[in-house]
Amino acid sequence: MPRLFGTDGVRGLANGEVITADLAMGLAQAAARVLTSGRHADAQRASGKRPTAVLARDPRVSGEFISAAVAAGLASSGVDVLDRCHPDPRGGLSGGRRGGRLRCHGLGLPQSGAGQRHQVLRRGRHQLPDEVEDRIETALAEPKLTPTGGDVGRIRRFSDAEDRYIIHLLGALDVRLDGLHVVIDAANGAAAAVSPQAFSDAGARVTVIGNDPDGLNINDGVGSTHLEALQAAVLEHHADLGIAHDGDADRCLAVDASGAIIDGDRMMAILALSLRERGC
């Protein structure tokens, strides 16, 4: 049987041969067994505290039933779930946690930009090591954690997650953007709410396109794979630059004031020169 985890989580077409509600629940139960074992977790439970997981997804409509299955699997295993509920940039699962004092095993649903393919599990700020992924795969065939009564997990909405992530982003910015006019193409994806707000809070004047996600239109004619709309908007609004996210907001491309594309290599060169000028 081929390895379930690939180079970047578990991927497949939602409700296809791999990513099903049954698998999502089973992986959550297996992950709970593996990631909440050990002396620290045992001591935590002995003191009456349950492990906590943060759950996140992007706007794809399939993410709703998958995240519900993951939440059920975690809670049935005695893990409290903080459900971010709203679509969330891929980096938000780790970055947003820094704004508080949560001690969590982060299990998320950042989904890839390839059709309706889903990455199912991540932990904290780092991808799971191969050996931990292998232990989770093995645990799929092992008995599940089956707490009862007050020991089952609770599912709650993580209501201020978006604000925490924006605060984290602004804390990482060492300059203000006052006087800049930026066009943001959110790709009808996970950045639709967070990115425009973060740029605005940093002082920029913001024009937004591609920010009407309906669960089906992610990356549909907009975003970093379709820069024509961004180029046109920058020229139309006489903006200083434009930034186009991809659907799950872990990548972007840019265009300058003339509408010329600034690709990833040029963006890295600009950042490198800036770091050198600052002596970093």
Side-chain angles (χ1 to χ4, degrees):
M1 179 179 176
R3 190 171 186 268
L4 184 61
F5 283 86
T7 57
D8 197 15
V10 180
R11 293 173 179 261
L13 182 67
N15 256 0
E17 295 182 359
V18 179
I19 303 297
T20 64
D22 286 344
L23 178 71
M25 179 178 288
L27 276 174
Q29 291 170 322
R33 179 183 175 93
V34 171
L35 297 180
T36 66
S37 63
R39 287 181 296 176
H40 173 74
D42 292 343
Q44 188 178 33
R45 288 191 176 93
S47 67
K49 298 179 181 178
R50 290 180 296 273
T52 302
V54 179
L55 184 60
R57 65 178 179 85
D58 76 8
R60 289 180 177 84
V61 65
S62 52
E64 296 180 5
F65 81 79
I66 295 174
S67 61
V70 170
L74 293 171
S76 70
S77 302
V79 178
D80 285 347
V81 178
L82 292 176
D83 191 346
R84 297 181 76 124
C85 298
H86 52 76
D88 200 38
R90 184 167 175 170
L93 183 62
S94 57
R97 289 175 55 236
R98 296 186 183 180
R101 294 180 293 175
L102 297 172
R103 298 183 62 83
C104 304
H105 297 281
L107 302 176
L109 288 171
Q111 300 165 341
S112 82
Q116 295 225 352
R117 297 179 181 271
H118 302 260
Q119 178 183 0
V120 178
L121 294 173
R122 293 180 70 87
R123 183 181 185 222
R125 281 171 254 161
H126 307 284
Q127 185 164 322
L128 294 173
D130 288 349
E131 59 270 21
V132 177
E133 293 177 342
D134 290 339
R135 286 167 55 199
I136 291 174
E137 285 198 37
T138 300
L140 278 168
E142 297 174 350
K144 312 304 180 189
L145 300 175
T146 54
T148 59
D151 292 330
V152 301
R154 316 292 165 78
I155 302 173
R156 302 182 307 237
R157 181 174 181 178
F158 195 173
S159 57
D160 64 341
E162 188 173 285
D163 292 336
R164 290 191 187 208
Y165 185 44
I166 291 174
I167 290 170
H168 163 71
L169 292 174
L170 294 175
L173 188 66
D174 58 2
V175 295
R176 292 283 300 173
L177 304 182
D178 302 281
L180 282 178
H181 182 186
V182 182
V183 178
I184 302 293
D185 182 347
N188 290 324
V194 168
S195 182
Q197 187 64 53
F199 275 89
S200 179
D201 288 350
R205 175 185 167 199
V206 178
T207 298
V208 190
I209 64 174
N211 66 330
D212 189 24
D214 62 9
L216 298 172
N217 62 355
I218 189 168
N219 293 320
D220 187 8
V222 291
S224 59
T225 55
H226 302 278
L227 291 174
E228 299 84 3
L230 179 64
Q231 292 171 302
V234 166
L235 295 175
E236 176 186 353
H237 296 282
H238 305 287
D240 296 297
L241 73 154
I243 295 175
H245 296 282
D246 71 333
D248 51 11
D250 63 348
R251 290 168 290 178
C252 70
L253 291 177
V255 302
D256 65 17
S258 71
I261 296 173
I262 309 298
D263 62 20
D265 289 341
R266 293 180 64 190
M267 291 170 69
M268 290 181 67
I270 291 169
L271 292 172
L273 290 172
S274 176
L275 288 171
R276 187 181 70 175
E277 290 173 359
R278 288 182 288 168
C280 298

